[in-house]
Amino acid sequence: MNKKLNNFKKRFLTLSLTAVLSLSSLGLVFADGARVVTLGSNLTQAQKDTMLKYFGVNKDEVVILEVNNQEERKYLQGVASEAQLGKKTYSCAYVEPTKSGSGINVKTANITWATPAMVATTLSTAGLTDADVVIAANFPVSGTGALTGIMKAFEDATGKPLEEDKKELASEELITTGDLGDDIGQDKATGIVNDVKTEIIKNNTKDTVQIAETINNVVNNYNVTLTDEQMAKLEGLMEKISKQDYDYSEMKNALESVSDVVNENLSAIGENVNTGLFDGIKNFFTGIGDWFKGLFSGESDGSSILDNTNDSLLGENAQIDATDKSTINLPSSEQVEGFFAKIWHWFTGLFNNDSNNQNNTEQTEITPSEEINNSVDENNTTEETIDENSPTEQTPQDNANTTISNEGDSLLDVQTQDQGSFDTQEQQSN
């Protein structure tokens, strides 16, 4: 007996130590992956509180920083127009560094100009490789200033500064891509910039002629024609990128995921990117592999900051988008249909109950006192109908008539007093 008890104690102690160590490791992981929120400095306190609710966090759960217009201008001055720069900062960002190989996942809310894929590929230029990012505003904004907030948040979360040259390049890339998107569409513009950048970094291309050829080949894949000015801007941007010490192996997941998102978005509107026969076959089998991977990996565990946003908080007209559409938390059509079905059943149930009650009353013998009460109810109903339809308040003469018609009945006096009290409250509220 004692031997069994000792064995049980040993096993219990072992399991307890294992649990403690596991919890400690989880705590260390959370500490390494700090979550940081940046808020636009020109928001009111109420608007800032709404943004925190949208992100699904409390003030004591995250690091909160503010971003102002001067910080935006530090990186966008000279590449963005005054209209794009603006005078105030309203966009907010929520950033969490993730494990290596996760890539860059972006979700946007009320951001009208910068798409999730556009932001993702731009962040790779800034030096980010693995992160979950949410960009949002209380009302529709362009999102040009959001990049500054993301970079600031990422630096604070990791404790490591990003290279200034790369941050400036990322800002220039965002404006270049957005301007190009105004002419040929945001997805095509994002795809072109992302694909050219991928080829330049992967092949370590430095020669300006080869850079121009790469741009021309990628543009042809998207079946668009660019102006000489647009081509010159792309060449200038890619020449600067080619001079940086980017590691393709670190950026590969982020760049490929952006390409996948762009292809999915274009396919959804009936357009395809001409990537050649061999690349097409490769993408086909890659797509099958991704499908099986998603099939067996199951749904998200909800631990990502992208899954925890309150997308319905910003209203039914809020523009929600993401590189991973499964993170959009707006109610589905089935959920909406079920909601209205419940309302309809409740509403019709009220009338069914009233109808049943009326039938039961008609089948019951009516006493003289009940006849008086019914008569009083009819008078009160008539008076209430007149009050509702009349554009003015009830006159003293109407009140007198009500009192005279109900004189001698204590129950009616109480009802008349209640009606007078209601009229007084109604006058005060008006």
Side-chain angles (χ1 to χ4, degrees):
M1 181 69 180
N2 291 333
K3 185 176 181 181
K4 290 183 178 180
L5 183 61
N6 289 333
N7 288 336
F8 175 77
K9 288 181 178 179
K10 289 179 180 179
R11 290 181 180 180
F12 180 79
L13 181 60
T14 302
L15 290 173
S16 299
L17 289 173
T18 303
V20 170
L21 290 174
S22 299
L23 291 173
S24 300
S25 63
L26 287 174
L28 289 173
V29 170
F30 181 78
D32 290 339
R35 297 178 175 184
V36 181
V37 170
T38 60
L39 300 173
S41 61
N42 295 106
L43 294 176
T44 64
Q45 188 57 52
Q47 290 171 330
K48 292 176 181 178
D49 292 340
T50 298
M51 282 290 94
L52 293 177
K53 289 180 181 178
Y54 171 75
F55 291 140
V57 298
N58 296 318
K59 293 180 180 180
D60 57 349
E61 295 177 338
V62 295
V63 176
I64 298 178
L65 307 174
E66 283 199 0
V67 177
N68 57 50
N69 190 254
Q70 290 301 317
E71 290 176 290
E72 293 180 20
R73 287 175 175 270
K74 178 180 178 181
Y75 299 106
L76 294 173
Q77 194 85 44
V79 295
S81 65
E82 276 299 316
Q84 291 171 329
L85 287 169
K87 301 290 184 182
K88 298 179 179 180
T89 301
Y90 296 110
S91 56
C92 306
Y94 185 16
V95 178
E96 180 183 32
T98 54
K99 64 180 182 180
S100 178
S102 301
I104 301 173
N105 302 293
V106 179
K107 185 174 187 176
T108 61
N110 279 335
I111 305 299
T112 61
W113 193 68
T115 66
M118 188 189 302
V119 173
T121 189
T122 300
L123 290 176
S124 70
T125 303
L128 281 73
T129 53
D130 302 290
D132 287 344
V133 177
V134 184
I135 314 167
N138 301 77
F139 41 83
V141 297
S142 66
T144 53
L147 181 63
T148 303
I150 298 169
M151 294 187 296
K152 183 176 182 177
F154 187 82
E155 289 178 321
D156 190 274
T158 60
K160 299 176 181 178
L162 298 169
E163 296 180 30
E164 288 297 314
D165 288 344
K166 291 181 178 179
K167 289 195 286 186
E168 292 177 2
L169 271 178
S171 301
E172 180 179 349
E173 180 182 318
L174 180 68
I175 300 301
T176 300
T177 307
D179 288 344
L180 185 61
D182 290 338
D183 291 334
I184 66 173
Q186 293 170 318
D187 286 315
K188 287 188 175 182
T190 301
I192 289 173
V193 173
N194 185 76
D195 290 357
V196 173
K197 181 171 61 177
T198 299
E199 293 299 315
I200 297 298
I201 296 174
K202 180 172 64 173
N203 299 323
N204 196 26
T205 305
K206 305 289 185 183
D207 183 71
T208 56
V209 175
Q210 291 181 341
I211 290 175
E213 290 178 352
T214 301
I215 294 174
N216 189 61
N217 292 335
V218 171
V219 168
N220 289 336
N221 290 341
Y222 284 84
N223 299 316
V224 296
T225 301
L226 302 185
T227 64
D228 292 340
E229 181 181 357
Q230 291 169 336
M231 289 290 291
K233 283 187 176 181
L234 280 178
E235 290 174 9
L237 174 65
M238 293 304 161
E239 287 176 11
K240 293 176 184 177
I241 289 177
S242 69
K243 296 176 182 178
Q244 300 297 319
D245 57 341
Y246 289 109
D247 186 343
Y248 177 71
S249 63
E250 293 180 353
M251 304 174 65
K252 184 175 182 292
N253 289 327
L255 296 173
E256 288 184 349
S257 64
V258 169
S259 181
D260 291 340
V261 171
V262 169
N263 288 335
E264 289 173 6
N265 291 344
L266 291 176
S267 295
I269 60 175
E271 296 190 32
N272 294 303
V273 180
N274 180 20
T275 55
L277 177 61
F278 292 106
D279 286 337
I281 295 174
K282 176 185 175 183
N283 291 337
F284 173 76
F285 284 105
T286 300
I288 293 177
D290 291 340
W291 182 80
F292 275 105
K293 181 180 178 182
L295 184 65
F296 292 104
S297 63
E299 295 183 356
S300 172
D301 60 2
S303 61
S304 169
I305 63 174
L306 281 71
D307 296 308
N308 296 325
T309 56
N310 186 355
D311 293 341
S312 60
L313 181 66
L314 301 181
E316 59 181 8
N317 295 323
Q319 302 179 39
I320 312 295
D321 198 5
T323 51
D324 181 0
K325 298 297 188 290
S326 67
T327 62
I328 298 176
N329 299 321
L330 290 174
S332 64
S333 58
E334 290 81 6
Q335 290 173 318
V336 173
E337 183 179 353
F339 173 74
F340 283 108
K342 289 180 181 179
I343 293 179
W344 174 252
H345 291 319
W346 174 81
F347 188 75
T348 54
L350 287 177
F351 287 96
N352 289 336
N353 290 336
D354 289 342
S355 178
N356 292 335
N357 292 336
Q358 184 177 358
N359 291 336
N360 292 334
T361 303
E362 292 175 353
Q363 294 173 1
T364 306
E365 183 178 0
I366 302 177
T367 63
S369 62
E370 288 174 337
E371 289 180 351
I372 295 175
N373 289 335
N374 289 338
S375 176
V376 172
D377 290 339
E378 290 175 0
N379 290 335
N380 289 339
T381 302
T382 303
E383 291 168 3
E384 289 173 0
T385 304
I386 293 173
D387 288 341
E388 291 174 356
N389 295 330
S390 174
T392 59
E393 299 171 352
Q394 191 180 40
T395 63
Q397 183 177 359
D398 293 332
N399 288 327
N401 291 338
T402 302
T403 304
I404 293 172
S405 65
N406 296 331
E407 187 176 0
D409 193 319
S410 60
L411 174 62
L412 304 184
D413 286 339
V414 172
Q415 292 177 341
T416 304
Q417 291 173 5
D418 291 340
Q419 178 67 31
S421 175
F422 174 79
D423 290 340
T424 303
Q425 293 175 0
E426 187 177 34
Q427 293 174 17
Q428 290 175 351
S429 65
N430 291 337

